[in-house]
Amino acid sequence: MGRKIVAFIIFLIGAGIFFLGMLQTNLNCDKLSNICVLQSSIPAVRLNLDSMRFKLSDMKEITCERRTQASRGSGRRAYYELTLNIKNEPYVLETCPNFKICRRHADKLLDFKHLTEYKKFDYKSSIGVSNVMGVVLGAVLIILGLKMFFDKNEPDEES
């Protein structure tokens, strides 16, 4: 019975890591009302984690900041965070695998802010580079937990 409890705990930890790895940040702006909404959610379970309203004029700059993470072997792998600065507070919208993709996303946001032809804008981030490992680890833990839970080969005690 103790083995099934451990398997269930592994399954729950894996499910938690899996769903948190799917974290998505959305930015919705309307030029006519001068209001933007920055919202963090997990779309797989339709759960809104955080929501923040601010004025479009408070959006100061959009930058691509270089970060590193561990990779195979002893090396480090670089990725870029698309960061939105609102009243000198940084908010990460998305992580990108290279600078070119990050700059393209930043240019879309800057075009919306400065060009007059756009009235409303909706930017939905995708699963970022830093979240992919969480999704993979969560899936592995879910499979391991299910395998342990439904495995029929329990050791018999000898009397």
Side-chain angles (χ1 to χ4, degrees):
M1 189 62 163
R3 182 178 172 174
K4 294 214 184 244
I5 292 172
V6 171
F8 186 67
I9 291 171
I10 290 173
F11 173 79
L12 287 179
I13 291 170
I17 293 171
F18 181 78
F19 285 114
L20 285 178
M22 291 185 180
L23 183 66
Q24 186 179 50
T25 304
N26 300 325
L27 176 66
N28 301 313
C29 291
D30 185 3
K31 276 191 178 177
L32 300 176
S33 61
N34 193 28
I35 292 193
C36 291
V37 177
L38 184 64
Q39 183 177 25
S40 295
S41 64
I42 300 175
V45 291
R46 294 188 178 144
L47 177 67
N48 291 330
L49 299 175
D50 191 19
S51 183
M52 181 180 86
R53 294 173 66 100
F54 60 93
K55 293 182 179 180
L56 181 61
S57 56
D58 291 340
M59 188 177 1
K60 298 299 177 197
E61 64 179 340
I62 300 161
T63 59
C64 292
E65 302 196 15
R66 186 176 192 269
R67 302 280 187 242
T68 58
Q69 68 182 10
S71 65
R72 287 186 218 162
S74 62
R76 310 280 291 165
R77 180 177 172 195
Y79 66 96
Y80 293 86
E81 290 181 346
L82 180 63
T83 306
L84 175 67
N85 291 317
I86 304 166
K87 294 183 180 177
N88 296 325
E89 286 287 322
Y91 295 94
V92 176
L93 290 178
E94 187 171 15
T95 57
C96 302
N98 61 41
F99 183 74
K100 184 178 178 182
I101 293 172
C102 185
R103 197 67 243 162
R104 187 175 4 162
H105 291 256
D107 289 342
K108 282 182 192 177
L109 292 170
L110 290 171
D111 285 348
F112 165 72
K113 184 177 178 188
H114 297 294
L115 296 177
T116 58
E117 61 194 49
Y118 300 109
K119 302 297 180 219
K120 290 187 178 188
F121 187 75
D122 185 23
Y123 180 80
K124 293 186 179 190
S125 68
S126 61
I127 292 179
V129 175
S130 59
N131 293 355
V132 171
M133 196 61 183
V135 170
V136 171
L137 178 64
V140 168
L141 288 175
I142 288 171
I143 292 168
L144 178 66
L146 289 174
K147 181 171 178 9
M148 285 176 63
F149 191 80
F150 291 111
D151 194 12
K152 301 288 185 204
N153 297 331
E154 289 193 28
D156 293 332
E157 292 182 25
E158 293 183 21
S159 307

